[in-house]
Amino acid sequence: MEADINTTVWTEILSSTATLAAVLVALWVAILGPRRVTKPKLLAKINLASPECTWSPSSEERERGNGLASGHYFVRLRIANNGSEDARDVEVMMMRLWVINADGKRVMDSSFLPLMLPWSWWTESGPARWLQRLPPGTFKHCDLLTVTLDQDSRSRRKRWRYNEKAGWPTSWMTFKPAYDPSDSSGQSLLRKPPGRYQLDFIVAASNATATYQTAHISFTGWRDSMTEMFGEGGGINIEITETAKVG
């Protein structure tokens, strides 16, 4: 009989405690609102227009004020924080490059180097590999690649512009990591001819889940104006999609 009384008492105490806890939680929510889960959410985007895509004239063209290109085009990624908390130590890293052959099959480029991309327009000495802070609702650009024209293609380019038979001007697409992997001759393993490519890359931060994305690149060659280079059916087109985690 005594055991039954003790069990009943403990049951009532536990029930009262649970009820009190529920009331306190309800009061907390009523006063302060529901607890907000805060974390950054990073995503890379690209718009084939300024400021993601720009043209930089050569030093010779700057002196002449020439608007036609033999400088280079710059292509950048826009890294946005769509979350509700600052992203810390943000980095963008190229993982691997695939070449799309004539049959539409992917072939991994074994010479490609997995390297980090630098943040654009950095005022301090040396390229920045990590961005210390990216507030929510903001974005920052990082350099992706340049498009250049071979110096010996200038005269051929002039004839090509006037529909003379000179062959297509030789142009290159070069990825621009924070570290320059060029050899002693200046040749870079990241310099690629016209073609179709897929670049797997990661956007990560010390306090965010890594985002895995792919840049689908179609590079047909040099054009002499921003409109021709980045417009519909132009010299280069890039589309970015999210992808499964790359190993």
Side-chain angles (χ1 to χ4, degrees):
M1 182 68 177
E2 184 177 350
D4 292 341
I5 293 175
N6 289 338
T7 299
T8 301
V9 171
W10 278 110
T11 299
E12 292 177 353
I13 291 174
L14 292 174
S15 177
S16 299
T17 302
T19 300
L20 179 61
V23 171
L24 291 175
V25 169
L27 287 173
W28 178 274
V29 171
I31 295 172
L32 300 178
R35 185 178 183 275
R36 186 166 61 97
V37 178
T38 61
K39 64 177 183 178
K41 183 178 180 181
L42 299 171
L43 197 66
K45 300 179 180 179
I46 191 167
N47 179 31
L48 296 179
S50 181
E52 277 78 64
C53 300
T54 56
W55 174 68
S56 177
S58 65
S59 57
E60 178 182 345
E61 287 165 332
R62 287 193 184 97
E63 293 175 0
R64 294 180 180 177
N66 185 359
L68 294 180
S70 64
H72 60 270
Y73 292 101
F74 234 116
V75 179
R76 301 175 176 89
L77 295 176
R78 177 185 294 225
I79 309 301
N81 180 3
N82 297 331
S84 52
E85 181 183 359
D86 289 357
R88 304 285 181 176
D89 304 320
V90 186
E91 64 181 67
V92 183
M93 183 173 183
M94 301 183 294
M95 293 301 294
R96 61 173 58 91
L97 183 70
W98 303 89
V99 180
I100 311 301
N101 64 22
D103 297 327
K105 296 181 179 179
R106 297 191 314 168
V107 179
M108 190 169 68
D109 185 344
S110 59
S111 67
F112 190 79
L113 298 175
L115 295 169
M116 293 174 61
L117 295 174
W119 296 100
S120 306
W121 301 298
W122 201 253
T123 57
E124 300 176 9
S125 61
R129 297 165 177 81
W130 293 276
L131 185 65
Q132 292 184 349
R133 175 175 172 266
L134 184 62
T138 65
F139 65 87
K140 184 79 170 67
H141 289 105
C142 71
D143 298 343
L144 176 62
L145 59 86
T146 60
V147 178
T148 56
L149 186 71
D150 270 356
Q151 294 298 313
D152 60 2
S153 291
R154 289 185 179 180
S155 60
R156 287 198 300 139
R157 176 172 64 94
K158 292 178 181 178
R159 297 199 303 274
W160 168 69
R161 281 177 54 82
Y162 293 101
N163 296 319
E164 296 180 15
K165 294 181 179 180
W168 195 270
T170 305
S171 53
W172 301 92
M173 173 183 72
T174 306
F175 294 95
K176 304 300 291 184
Y179 166 77
D180 185 3
S182 302
D183 60 23
S184 58
S185 67
Q187 296 297 315
S188 174
L189 296 175
L190 304 182
R191 190 176 80 153
K192 305 300 174 184
R196 293 170 59 205
Y197 302 88
Q198 288 184 11
L199 174 70
D200 293 333
F201 65 96
I202 299 175
V203 185
S206 60
N207 62 335
T209 302
T211 301
Y212 298 86
Q213 295 186 254
T214 297
H216 305 266
I217 304 170
S218 175
F219 174 43
T220 58
W222 183 268
R223 301 292 189 275
D224 277 342
S225 72
M226 284 282 293
T227 302
E228 293 175 349
M229 192 70 209
F230 299 106
E232 184 177 355
I236 193 168
N237 183 65
I238 303 175
E239 296 181 0
I240 296 179
T241 60
E242 290 195 59
T243 186
K245 180 178 180 180
V246 292

